[in-house]
Amino acid sequence: MKPSSPISLATSSLARKTRLSPYLFTLLAFILFVSVLYGEDFMCIFGQLEPNFVLQPSRTPEKNKKTEKLAFAIGKTEERCDVFSGKWVRDEISRPQYEEWECPYIQPQLTCQEHGRPDKDYQFWRWQPNQCDLATFNATLMLETLRGKRMMYVGDSLNRGMFVSMVCLLHRLIPEDQKSMKTNGSLTVFTAKEYNATIEFYWAPFLLESNSDDAIVHRISDRVVRKGSINKHGRHWKGVDIIIFNTYLWWMTGLKMNILQGSFDDKEKNIVEVSTEDAYRMGMKSMLRWVKNNMDRKKTRVFFTSMSPTHAKGIDWGGEPGENCYNQTTLIEDPSYWGSDSRKSIMKVIGEVFRRSKTPITFLNITQMSNYRKDAHTSIYKKQWSPLTAEQRENPTSYADCVHWCLPGLQDTWNELLFAKLFYP
């Protein structure tokens, strides 16, 4: 048999490619069609796999990094280091950083040991970033930096827990007669007299004016937020040197939110219903405008803390139906775990608004790391403001608090991240 010549082989190969080209064209056309039609859905799926990714641009804009030194910075975190991406490491040597009994400022809603929690395992975990080490919290440096200054946490009870955590991390260095804690309405102030410094918390769960602004009586099911009203609270924040905002949980009343256009004093109130995402976007834009108009970017620092996750649905992590954070003593080990109560649509809003803003603001992305900590909630081990019913006593899951966190515990790590970003942005 006569072997084929190179020319005939090339011709045959070209013919086969020509015959296949209609199939290739059809396949490519189909892929292009699907990409256009479902492109946004694909982005959402990828966003679920990497919840931190969409928020990377929300860090201080690159041009600000190059032209300005951020206030209070004494160093810089390595470029390759994302301190919010990592894992929890058991550490019985350096954790906890203080004992519950030695910090008298912890509210009874967060003193889990005092209220009967039988284990302390939740106290012995240290956050370890994947590509680097987290800067060690230095209480002396923090206090010296705050000398003659004001530091304020603004938001809901979760930010109040972070505020108390910071006080607990620092108060041992201050003589007993040189420190005090006082509350007046929405404002709680811890004073370190020797340092002429204050660490403060201001209750404003929406940041804007709302019908839930009473610091004590605020359990209102039909929540209303007043548009363009941030100065109602913001006047109390002026003159602060370091401010840490949070707001999320109170917006989660469903898929819609009531927005007041006008005043709460109006006899006939003009209330419109908008999507939760649009309402939250309004709140974020108002916050950034206030920061731009009131904070000196050369002398002050602004932080925003992402959503604190809940663990109210055991099926999210493979538990039984009806199970929640009650009696949970282990961590979630799946690195991609994302609880259903942490709305990705809200994370997307934060990313969009921060990316478009030229206002320097440091984003503390505590959501993913906290998602792993179903063990760290106060659960049933807290002061109960109302007597428990017989039914509740028989079923502890029914009244377990899967929102707030025991102290010492997880929120101390939030402040370690704040420390790292304040001094080593």
Side-chain angles (χ1 to χ4, degrees):
M1 185 175 177
K2 196 173 181 179
S4 300
S5 70
I7 295 176
S8 63
L9 283 173
T11 304
S12 175
S13 175
L14 180 62
R16 284 196 298 272
K17 287 182 181 178
T18 304
R19 285 197 299 272
L20 285 173
S21 61
Y23 299 104
L24 289 171
F25 176 80
T26 303
L27 178 61
L28 290 171
F30 177 74
I31 291 173
L32 179 62
F33 172 74
V34 171
S35 299
V36 172
L37 187 61
Y38 297 107
E40 188 171 343
D41 291 340
F42 288 156
M43 289 303 294
C44 290
I45 292 171
F46 295 145
Q48 289 179 0
L49 292 175
E50 295 187 88
N52 293 328
F53 176 77
V54 297
L55 293 169
Q56 294 304 321
S58 68
R59 295 177 178 178
T60 306
E62 198 65 33
K63 62 180 182 181
N64 291 327
K65 282 187 179 180
K66 292 179 180 178
T67 60
E68 296 181 27
K69 178 185 176 183
L70 293 176
F72 306 106
I74 61 174
K76 189 176 180 181
T77 300
E78 303 171 46
E79 285 294 329
R80 64 185 180 86
C81 176
D82 177 6
V83 295
F84 306 114
S85 178
K87 61 183 178 180
W88 290 99
V89 177
R90 182 86 175 175
D91 183 349
E92 297 185 22
I93 298 175
S94 66
R95 296 295 183 275
Q97 292 159 291
Y98 57 89
E99 295 291 342
E100 179 186 298
W101 58 266
E102 67 179 349
C103 186
Y105 306 104
I106 308 176
Q107 310 103 297
Q109 302 98 300
L110 309 179
T111 50
C112 299
Q113 292 297 306
E114 180 184 348
H115 290 90
R117 179 156 179 167
D119 73 298
K120 282 189 172 184
D121 288 348
Y122 64 94
Q123 297 182 3
F124 298 115
W125 294 98
R126 174 175 53 82
W127 182 247
Q128 177 61 56
N130 288 328
Q131 301 296 329
C132 56
D133 291 325
L134 192 61
T136 302
F137 186 89
N138 186 324
T140 301
L141 173 60
M142 192 77 217
L143 274 172
E144 286 297 337
T145 300
L146 291 176
R147 188 179 289 276
K149 293 182 172 56
R150 296 174 64 196
M151 179 182 199
M152 180 181 282
Y153 294 80
V154 176
D156 58 24
S157 57
L158 289 157
N159 229 23
R160 180 167 56 204
M162 191 175 176
F163 152 73
V164 172
S165 162
M166 179 61 80
V167 171
C168 290
L169 287 166
L170 299 178
H171 87 99
R172 283 183 296 183
L173 296 183
I174 307 168
E176 203 62 37
D177 63 346
Q178 292 293 309
K179 56 190 174 186
S180 64
M181 177 96 85
K182 294 182 180 179
T183 298
N184 183 14
S186 296
L187 183 64
T188 299
V189 180
F190 175 82
T191 302
K193 299 175 187 177
E194 179 183 350
Y195 293 85
N196 187 29
T198 61
I199 304 170
E200 308 172 31
F201 168 73
Y202 187 92
W203 171 265
F206 294 99
L207 304 184
L208 285 73
E209 183 183 6
S210 75
N211 63 348
S212 302
D213 285 345
D214 190 299
I216 299 174
V217 183
H218 45 244
R219 297 198 176 197
I220 298 171
S221 57
D222 195 19
R223 298 168 185 170
V224 179
V225 177
R226 180 185 166 210
K227 183 178 180 180
S229 60
I230 197 164
N231 288 327
K232 170 73 182 296
H233 298 307
R235 58 195 174 96
H236 299 284
W237 314 335
K238 290 184 177 181
V240 168
D241 300 281
I242 301 170
I243 193 165
I244 305 98
F245 292 106
N246 96 308
T247 183
Y248 170 71
L249 193 64
W250 285 72
W251 299 88
M252 299 300 110
T253 58
L255 300 178
K256 301 287 185 179
M257 191 75 204
N258 294 319
I259 303 299
L260 172 65
Q261 297 181 332
S263 170
F264 279 105
D265 295 328
D266 295 341
K267 290 185 178 180
E268 293 186 9
K269 294 177 177 58
N270 181 16
I271 297 175
V272 297
E273 196 178 59
V274 302
S275 72
T276 300
E277 288 75 17
D278 285 343
Y280 194 84
R281 184 177 290 106
M282 174 195 72
M284 290 293 95
K285 288 181 177 179
S286 293
M287 179 193 72
L288 289 173
R289 277 195 299 270
W290 185 90
V291 169
K292 180 181 178 181
N293 294 333
N294 294 280
M295 300 294 285
D296 184 340
R297 62 196 294 165
K298 295 181 180 179
K299 298 179 180 178
T300 65
R301 287 289 295 279
V302 182
F303 296 84
F304 182 81
T305 305
S306 67
M307 64 186 77
S308 173
T310 66
H311 292 88
K313 302 173 184 176
I315 54 174
D316 282 357
W317 61 80
E320 297 295 324
E323 188 179 8
N324 61 16
C325 70
Y326 170 67
N327 214 23
Q328 299 293 329
T329 58
T330 60
L331 280 62
I332 294 171
E333 296 182 359
D334 179 2
S336 64
Y337 174 79
W338 188 268
S340 61
D341 289 337
S342 299
R343 286 200 201 174
K344 287 186 175 294
S345 59
I346 295 297
M347 292 291 266
K348 185 178 180 181
V349 168
I350 297 171
E352 290 171 353
V353 174
F354 280 26
R355 270 196 297 270
R356 293 170 184 166
S357 172
K358 295 181 180 180
T359 304
I361 187 166
T362 303
F363 185 76
L364 298 177
N365 194 355
I366 55 88
T367 307
Q368 183 68 74
M369 64 181 300
S370 304
N371 257 305
Y372 305 136
R373 297 302 306 275
K374 63 182 172 69
D375 64 309
H377 290 286
T378 54
S379 185
I380 65 171
Y381 305 108
K382 55 179 284 185
K383 180 176 181 178
Q384 305 296 332
W385 297 108
S386 301
L388 297 175
T389 65
E391 290 79 10
Q392 285 176 317
R393 291 184 181 279
E394 290 176 5
N395 181 20
T397 304
S398 66
Y399 68 94
D401 181 350
C402 298
V403 172
H404 299 97
W405 310 93
C406 300
L407 285 179
L410 172 66
Q411 291 186 296
D412 301 321
T413 302
W414 296 0
N415 277 314
E416 287 183 282
L417 292 165
L418 170 63
F419 175 90
K421 285 298 182 180
L422 177 65
F423 294 110
Y424 308 97

